[in-house]
């Protein structure tokens, strides 16, 4: 079979791939810089020579030379070739350092690296079609997930998402019973416990090490109106909740319909369920952009295998979109689904009825 190859297209694609490979290496370099605390060390110091940075950090200048070359070529650090200096500008500090800022990407990077580190297992289940439990991932995957989502929740949950729901903020201020299902390391539960001291929050997750991390987080924050329990979304204990929420976890569940049904059964009749899911359009064609590229990939190696490892194994995927999520919620018995808020990475659905 003869084939007509357009070498212009080959060149164009290869050029794009070189950019992707450069990005992959840059993510790795950014993680090294984070672990060595170089971005924070350079933040606010102005232009530094290699020797000055070696003195400041106490690190080997041979390594620093190579690292600076790579991150400067990437634009993660600003290089002045005339003066031979390297600077972390305030903008670069916000993206690569300054823990807890919404623009900080280091949590993202940790998740990616954790997947590369266990790529053989990912390939095994990808080929066999079997599930891979959430608990099978490296601890840095859980910490990275929390680190990635935390700044967005800190910036939006209390300030905009809850106020965007019909009548919920007043109830939480007055004192309500809240369930945070699939709470992971408990950031969202602790934020709500702090913001609504009259309310009682129950954080629920089936991953025991995450619940331990959540308890430690609550103790560190000094909040006593939050409790964490190891339980499944489909049958956690308790009832008469005024407010239930799931943050970026419904699509990880094997039985999202069962989970939503249990939420409905354990909510008061006038209760509200807030579902936070990754931002996505309703069809694959809507998601052909960098965020779609990232979320489908994360879903391929983390979310979908986690769902397939559980009972039912629906494998909803991290880019399900509001239409598909609404079908799941309707099947669980909820009648009303409304997009109450959104950010570039998340959609916030108000679910009632
Ligand atoms: C992507 S993490 C999100 C964690 C947290 N909500 C956050 O936003 O940082 C998904 C979480 O869902 C939990 N999870 C998955 N399936 C579950 C189930 N069936 N019951 C309870 N928790 C579940 C996992 O243990 C994990 O902590």
């Amino acid at each position: 079979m003869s084939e007509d190859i357009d070498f212009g297209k080959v060149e164009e694609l290869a050029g794009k791939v070189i950019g992707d490979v450069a990005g992959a290496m840059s993510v790795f370099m950014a993680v090294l810089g984070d672990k060595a605390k170089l971005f924070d060390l350079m933040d606010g110091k102005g232009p530094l020579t290699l020797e000055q940075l070696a003195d400041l950090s106490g690190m080997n200048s041979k390594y620093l030379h190579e690292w600076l070359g790579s991150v400067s070529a990437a634009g993660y650090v600003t290089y002045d070739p005339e003066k031979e200096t390297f600077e972390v500008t305030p903008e670069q500090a916000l993206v690569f350092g300054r823990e807890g800022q919404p623009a900080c990407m280091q949590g993202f990077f940790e998740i990616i690296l954790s997947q590369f580190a266990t790529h053989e297992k990912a390939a095994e289940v990808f080929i066999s079609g079997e599930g891979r439990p959430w608990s099978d991932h490296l601890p840095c995957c859980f910490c990275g997930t929390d680190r990635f989502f935390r700044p967005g929740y800190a910036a939006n949950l209390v300030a905009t998402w809850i106020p965007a729901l019909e009548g919920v903020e007043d109830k939480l201020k007055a004192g309500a019973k809240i369930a945070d299902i699939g709470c992971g390391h408990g950031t969202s539960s602790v934020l709500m416990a702090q913001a609504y001291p009259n309310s009682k929050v129950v954080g629920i997750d089936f991953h025991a090490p995450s619940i331990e991390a959540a308890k430690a987080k609550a103790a560190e924050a000094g909040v006593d109106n939050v409790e964490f329990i190891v339980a499944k979304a489909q049958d956690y204990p308790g009832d008469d909740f005024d407010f239930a929420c799931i943050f970026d976890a419904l699509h990880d569940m094997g039985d999202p319909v069962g989970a939503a049904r249990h939420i409905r059964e354990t909510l008061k009749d006038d209760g509200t369920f807030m579902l936070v899911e990754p931002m996505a359009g309703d069809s694959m064609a809507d998601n052909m952009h960098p965020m779609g590229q990232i979320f489908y990939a994360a879903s391929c190696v983390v979310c979908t295998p986690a769902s397939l490892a559980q009972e039912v194994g629906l494998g909803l995927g991290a880019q399900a979109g509001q239409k598909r999520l609404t079908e799941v919620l309707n099947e669980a018995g909820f009648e009303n689904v409304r997009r109450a808020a959104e950010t570039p990475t998340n959609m916030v659905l108000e679910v009632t009825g």
Side-chain angles (χ1 to χ4, degrees), residues 134-135 142 145-147 149-150 153 180-188 204-207 210 231-234 246-255 259 302-303 306 310:
W134 177 256
S135 56
F142 312 130
T145 301
D146 180 53
R147 200 176 174 194
F149 285 124
R150 193 190 321 139
Y153 299 163
D180 181 2
I181 303 119
C183 66
H185 281 206
T187 289
S188 48
I204 299 152
D205 202 291
F206 75 167
H207 184 235
S210 289
K232 287 190 283 186
Q234 313 85 280
I246 296 190
F247 296 85
D248 289 297
L250 185 77
H251 63 272
D252 295 292
M253 295 176 184
D255 184 7
V302 184
C303 318
Q310 299 180 37

Side-chain angles (χ1 to χ4, degrees), residues 80-347:
D80 182 335
E82 279 176 18
K83 295 185 183 141
E84 292 197 47
T85 56
F86 305 90
E87 179 177 4
V88 166
T89 63
E91 295 78 15
Q92 288 161 336
L94 282 172
V95 174
F96 299 107
R98 298 193 194 178
E99 186 69 42
Q101 295 292 324
C104 180
M105 297 283 170
Q106 291 290 353
F108 230 164
F109 300 163
E110 267 189 308
I111 300 173
I112 295 167
L113 241 70
S114 75
Q115 296 314 306
F116 276 63
T118 58
H119 66 278
E120 282 170 4
K121 183 72 191 177
E124 197 183 301
V125 298
F126 180 61
I127 294 164
S128 74
E130 279 168 24
R132 181 180 178 196
W134 177 256
S135 56
D136 191 56
H137 291 277
L138 294 175
C140 61
C141 178
F142 312 130
C143 294
T145 301
D146 180 53
R147 200 176 174 194
F148 169 59
F149 285 124
R150 193 190 321 139
Y153 299 163
N156 299 302
L157 172 56
V158 172
T160 53
W161 293 350
I162 288 174
L165 306 171
E166 200 64 43
V168 172
E169 189 181 33
D170 287 345
K171 278 192 203 172
L172 303 194
K173 282 183 177 164
K177 226 176 125 182
I178 306 172
D180 181 2
I181 303 119
C183 66
H185 281 206
T187 289
S188 48
S189 311
V190 170
L191 283 170
M192 290 188 284
Q194 286 172 322
Y196 310 109
N198 297 327
S199 287
K200 173 83 199 289
V201 186
V202 185
I204 299 152
D205 202 291
F206 75 167
H207 184 235
S210 289
I211 287 296
E212 284 313 307
K215 284 180 180 169
K217 192 173 289 224
E220 198 185 318
V223 279
D224 59 7
N225 56 333
V226 61
E227 169 196 7
F228 289 102
I229 55 172
V230 178
K232 287 190 283 186
Q234 313 85 280
D235 56 14
Y236 57 83
D239 55 12
D240 278 343
F241 289 102
D242 299 283
F243 182 50
C245 33
I246 296 190
F247 296 85
D248 289 297
L250 185 77
H251 63 272
D252 295 292
M253 295 176 184
D255 184 7
V257 175
R261 190 178 293 122
H262 186 65
I263 287 173
R264 188 168 177 273
E265 283 163 4
T266 53
L267 267 181
K268 284 185 183 159
D269 287 348
D270 65 347
T272 302
F273 170 27
M274 179 175 77
L275 177 62
V276 179
E277 274 288 295
M279 178 55 86
D282 287 326
S283 73
M284 193 178 267
D286 294 332
N287 303 325
M288 293 293 104
H289 46 63
M291 284 314 287
Q293 187 179 343
I294 294 165
F295 274 124
Y296 278 123
S299 189
C300 184
V301 292
V302 184
C303 318
T304 298
S307 174
L308 295 182
Q310 299 180 37
E311 277 169 31
V312 181
L314 189 67
L316 199 49
Q319 291 288 270
Q322 184 170 341
K323 190 161 164 266
R324 179 74 186 103
L325 291 167
T326 302
E327 286 169 6
V328 165
L329 295 162
N330 289 156
E331 202 181 328
F334 283 110
E335 284 169 16
N336 314 308
V337 179
R338 173 179 78 89
R339 174 130 13 147
E342 62 181 45
T343 67
T345 50
N346 281 118
M347 66 173 89

